[in-house]
Amino acid sequence: MSLLPVAEARARIVAAAGAPLPAEIAPLEACFGRTLAEDVVATRTQPPFAASAMDGFAVRAIDVATAPVVLRVIGEAAAGRRFAGPVGAGEAVRIFTGAPVPEGADTIVVQENAEPPADGCVRILESAPAGRFVRPRGLDFSQGDVLIPAGRVLDARALALAAAMNHPALPVRRRPVVALIATGDELVMPGEAPGPDQIVASNVVALAALVAAAGGEPRVLGIARDTKDAIREKLAAARAAGADVLVTLGGASVGAHDLVQDTLREAGMELGFWKIAMRPGKPLMHGRLDGMLFLGLPGNPVSSMVCGLLFLRPAIRALVGDPQAGRIATEWAVLGASMAPNDAREDYVRATLAPRSCALPEATPAPVQDSSMLGVLARADALIVRPVRDSARQAGEVVEIVRLAGMM
């Protein structure tokens, strides 16, 4: 099977995710980070009345056109407690921020531009044109407006808007359950004592965090030893967990101990593709099994994390109905060090970013790019994207990057 281009592999995975998962109603306080399933429509107009934006006096602009002028104070309006009557010629109402503007008044004189009231009157020191410091009815939104579109990830801003629209709960996509299985006799879970030939499984922890950040519900099922029976046991656990996505880490290559593909094929997996033209992450595997989307990620920790960013995250975003699920946001940077020509695989080079005097940051690749080096990845701010057979690059050239902040 020939190596598949990265973009085509991602498109196939997103397409294989199928229709978004069903919607469920969640209380507003439980919606942070969830993906909206339907457009949210305003149930009210905001503000529902013309309101004062400042503390001061509600007056008629015509009465203060030739300030200074003395007006009779006929009452007070506060937030949540309006003045009931109209404001007539030569009259003013003491008003506070957020209070409804009384009938007849059309402008606000801020209290700094008036003397303190005395004997039922106030002396206005400066004129105020009609509409000054008045928030008109519907300034923010009107009933029936579609304000939050389906597919948006609900952050604090969106939740504040939904609350102002008087929605106590919202329709959000069910979080896809993602079963994560590390494979290999050489692994132990964090906190366990490694044997003399073992290492600690780090990528399963990283992928669980990536899944949660993307909007999924990670289920870490532990380590499958290098036997078909052990892999079958973890597969049964994934089914029991109701997984929408099955992710294995390691065991997807061609060695004598790489048993994932054979075991899952025997269990009925329909293989979509295997091996892609990228570095790190060539032995990525994709298919479907028992209604689960399957991704077999490489065992090297950096490879699995980069593949998680480029393939698993888009799959999760597709399942929650994100219309931009297959898009990887890139930007431009100035190269901070020269790079040799690239080969027949698209390369994702770990790099640090530094600000420059111009708009573009400087991206400096780490001198060693081994896919086992988590320290390099942890220090990296971005991945430099190098196309297939890219020519040698000199410091100062412009290159494409993927920022890692908020993504991994």
Side-chain angles (χ1 to χ4, degrees):
M1 186 177 294
S2 61
L3 299 182
L4 200 63
V6 171
E8 184 177 344
R10 183 163 54 249
R12 288 197 193 182
I13 290 170
V14 169
L21 296 176
E24 58 188 22
I25 302 298
L28 206 58
E29 61 270 19
C31 285
F32 180 77
R34 303 290 296 273
T35 302
L36 196 61
E38 301 171 10
D39 293 343
V40 178
V41 178
T43 65
R44 65 194 304 271
T45 295
Q46 178 70 10
F49 43 74
S52 177
M54 300 289 284
D55 292 348
F57 297 88
V59 301
R60 304 191 319 159
I62 193 171
D63 289 339
V64 297
T66 57
V69 63
V70 175
L71 303 177
R72 185 165 61 93
V73 179
I74 61 173
E76 180 179 289
R81 191 174 69 252
R82 71 172 58 231
F83 175 76
V87 175
E91 296 178 337
V93 167
R94 181 76 168 104
I95 197 166
F96 297 92
T97 303
V101 176
E103 179 186 349
D106 59 4
T107 192
I108 306 297
V109 175
V110 295
Q111 60 188 16
E112 294 88 345
N113 292 337
E115 294 179 353
D119 299 326
C121 293
V122 62
R123 188 167 187 259
I124 303 299
L125 303 177
E126 292 187 15
S127 61
R132 176 169 287 182
F133 299 124
V134 174
R135 295 170 179 156
R137 182 179 186 273
L139 173 66
D140 198 358
F141 53 82
S142 297
Q143 184 175 355
D145 288 348
V146 176
L147 298 179
I148 314 177
R152 174 161 177 175
V153 177
L154 294 166
D155 55 14
R157 295 167 297 155
L159 292 175
L161 179 57
M165 295 157 66
N166 204 25
H167 287 278
L170 294 173
V172 292
R173 294 291 175 188
R174 178 173 69 77
R175 287 191 180 98
V177 175
V178 181
L180 298 164
I181 303 170
T183 68
D185 289 341
E186 76 279 11
L187 299 176
V188 297
M189 291 297 288
E192 297 179 356
D197 300 320
Q198 292 183 307
I199 59 174
V200 178
S202 57
N203 49 9
V204 68
V205 176
L207 268 294
L210 186 148
V211 166
E217 185 177 324
R219 300 287 177 84
V220 177
L221 301 183
I223 298 169
R225 299 303 170 193
D226 287 328
T227 69
K228 288 187 175 183
D229 284 344
I231 296 171
R232 291 188 191 104
E233 180 182 337
K234 297 299 183 184
L235 176 57
R239 291 181 178 125
D244 302 289
V245 183
L246 171 64
V247 178
T248 58
L249 304 169
S253 193
V254 294
H257 300 285
D258 296 317
L259 304 173
V260 170
Q261 184 175 155
D262 285 348
T263 305
L264 296 190
R265 278 180 178 273
E266 291 168 6
M269 179 186 71
E270 298 175 8
L271 182 65
F273 63 78
W274 178 41
K275 296 185 180 180
I276 52 176
M278 72 173 287
R279 180 191 303 105
K282 173 184 173 183
L284 182 132
M285 185 172 16
H286 158 64
R288 290 200 69 90
L289 174 63
D290 296 340
M292 295 181 288
L293 184 70
F294 168 68
L295 287 177
L297 304 187
N300 277 321
V302 174
S303 301
S304 63
M305 292 179 69
V306 172
C307 287
L309 172 64
L310 298 179
F311 304 106
L312 177 56
R313 187 180 188 280
I316 293 170
R317 298 308 305 156
L319 287 169
V320 296
D322 184 349
Q324 299 293 320
R327 178 177 175 268
I328 300 296
T330 63
E331 58 186 274
W332 301 102
V334 173
L335 190 60
S338 298
M339 302 178 75
N342 192 28
D343 60 12
R345 289 190 283 167
E346 192 167 304
D347 203 355
Y348 289 81
V349 180
R350 280 72 75 198
T352 55
L353 297 180
R356 300 172 67 249
S357 57
C358 70
L360 298 181
E362 181 179 78
T364 302
V368 181
Q369 292 284 321
D370 192 279
S371 59
S372 68
M373 297 176 67
L374 280 172
V376 171
L377 182 64
R379 290 188 294 272
D381 304 300
L383 302 174
I384 298 173
V385 183
R386 301 207 63 195
V388 171
R389 304 197 187 285
D390 191 27
S391 60
R393 297 284 183 159
Q394 303 302 314
E397 290 190 46
V398 174
V399 290
E400 190 176 19
I401 64 169
V402 177
R403 283 188 186 262
L404 297 179
M407 299 283 286
M408 180 186 292

